[in-house]
Amino acid sequence: MLAMCDTASGTRICLRLSAREATGKIRTSLLEHHLWKAVRDSGEKEDEQIVAEIMGRRFFPELIAYKAWEGFHFAGHEIRITEATDCYGAVVWPSALVLCYFLETNSKQYCLVDKNVIEIGAGTGLVSIVASLLGAFVTATDLPELLGNLQHNVLQNTKQKCKHQPCVKELSWGIDLEKNFPRSSCHFDYIMAADVVYHHPFLDELLLTFDHLCNNDTVILWAMKFRLENENRFVDRFQALFDLEMISNFPSLNIALYKAMRKGRMKARPSKLKV
């Protein structure tokens, strides 16, 4: 028998359990603990394996070149990206690799062939290049000071390799949107963005840009690394305009991949996606 006493209240309460019942409860509790630990460990192991696969797509030159570059393997091609260490927008960040990997491994469900795609904050152009190699007609956009390097990377990696030659265009968030991207003639099937939310003062303009470019049937694919509270606040504001679904998550990188559409336009997720 087991007895428990509530001495603080001066009242004696006895709970009588057989030895078998007590042992069963203990075993159940231990089993639940081990199952939870197994699920957690399995999730961490799966995350580590996928992250290793994603990062394994990157390679570096064997010899030091006069220009800094990195190499990547996506969509059956070797992609060489020229970078600059003095500018955030001229470096390939892990979120871009996550988005590229997703596009490649989910090319049936998210078929880009002949789709009209715009990437905002394209930076070095890696995501735009991969989308082009997968058959999309791509507009890669960024600030004017980044367009030279962006154009170089896009042209070097897509010329005579793509169904549609991508174009590079200036886009300063929130500025001259209707003039440069009129709603009447600009229809994008996909908007892509990787690591566009970080510590910068243009989050209002970024949200305005998403809103302007997104039609009723446009799908936004957005990879984001969470660093500061700014990211969480932006997600809350973003959800006032768009339905948002997390389709991949990489805790070891602190990166999440989202799918978004205009409010009320998101269809039920048909099946589990590859990550």
Side-chain angles (χ1 to χ4, degrees):
M1 299 288 183
L2 295 178
M4 294 180 61
C5 299
D6 183 4
T7 55
S9 63
T11 306
R12 182 178 179 83
I13 302 173
C14 295
L15 301 178
R16 300 180 181 277
L17 297 174
S18 67
R20 180 176 296 176
E21 289 173 332
T23 302
K25 287 181 178 293
I26 292 171
R27 285 177 176 170
T28 299
S29 178
L30 288 172
L31 179 60
E32 289 174 346
H33 171 75
H34 288 306
L35 283 173
W36 175 84
K37 187 175 184 298
V39 170
R40 183 198 65 187
D41 292 346
S42 174
E44 289 178 352
K45 186 175 181 181
E46 183 181 10
D47 174 52
E48 291 172 359
Q49 290 173 342
I50 296 173
V51 167
E53 165 67 15
I54 293 172
M55 295 306 165
R57 301 300 184 94
R58 172 184 249 153
F59 67 93
F60 300 93
E62 295 182 2
L63 299 175
I64 298 175
Y66 74 97
K67 280 189 177 181
W69 65 270
E70 288 185 88
F72 304 88
H73 291 290
F74 285 109
H77 291 268
E78 179 180 300
I79 301 168
R80 292 194 178 192
I81 297 293
T82 301
E83 296 184 307
T85 56
D86 59 346
C87 178
Y88 286 134
V91 176
V92 177
W93 299 101
S95 293
L97 273 68
V98 166
L99 183 49
C100 290
Y101 182 82
F102 176 84
L103 295 176
E104 182 188 73
T105 56
N106 292 277
S107 59
K108 289 185 178 180
Q109 185 162 347
Y110 290 83
C111 181
L112 297 183
V113 177
D114 297 329
K115 294 296 191 295
N116 200 10
V117 173
I118 185 168
E119 184 186 6
I120 61 175
T124 61
L126 180 61
V127 172
S128 289
I129 291 165
V130 172
S132 297
L133 293 172
L134 291 172
F137 180 83
V138 177
T139 302
T141 69
D142 215 314
L143 297 169
E145 59 266 29
L146 296 174
L147 295 188
N149 188 58
L150 175 58
Q151 178 71 63
H152 168 77
N153 285 329
V154 167
L155 186 62
Q156 175 180 261
N157 290 286
T158 61
K159 189 176 182 180
Q160 297 182 337
K161 297 177 183 178
C162 299
K163 185 176 183 180
H164 307 286
Q165 186 60 37
C167 68
V168 172
K169 192 170 180 178
E170 177 185 341
L171 173 53
S172 298
W173 298 336
I175 298 176
D176 293 333
L177 294 175
E178 183 58 30
K179 176 184 176 182
N180 297 324
F181 299 90
R183 292 192 185 206
S184 59
S185 59
C186 289
H187 180 279
F188 298 106
D189 299 295
Y190 290 93
I191 299 171
M192 297 187 184
D195 235 350
V196 292
V197 180
Y198 52 92
H199 187 63
H200 63 71
F202 305 108
L203 295 179
D204 290 341
E205 291 81 359
L206 175 59
L207 188 58
L208 184 64
T209 302
F210 272 124
D211 185 41
H212 179 83
L213 297 174
C214 188
N215 297 99
N216 285 337
D217 56 350
T218 302
V219 174
I220 299 171
L221 294 175
W222 166 30
M224 183 171 71
K225 182 177 180 67
F226 286 84
R227 301 178 181 89
L228 302 168
E229 187 59 28
N230 275 1
E231 285 85 344
N232 294 320
R233 288 198 296 267
F234 183 83
V235 170
D236 291 340
R237 295 178 57 202
F238 185 88
Q239 287 181 291
L241 299 175
F242 303 97
D243 288 327
L244 190 66
E245 176 189 3
M246 182 186 292
I247 51 179
S248 296
N249 187 32
F250 302 94
S252 64
L253 295 174
N254 210 22
I255 291 173
L257 178 61
Y258 293 102
K259 170 186 175 181
M261 294 186 74
R262 286 247 178 237
K263 281 285 188 183
R265 305 294 298 185
M266 185 88 77
K267 294 181 180 179
R269 186 173 170 185
S271 60
K272 186 177 180 182
L273 302 175
K274 295 179 183 178
V275 293

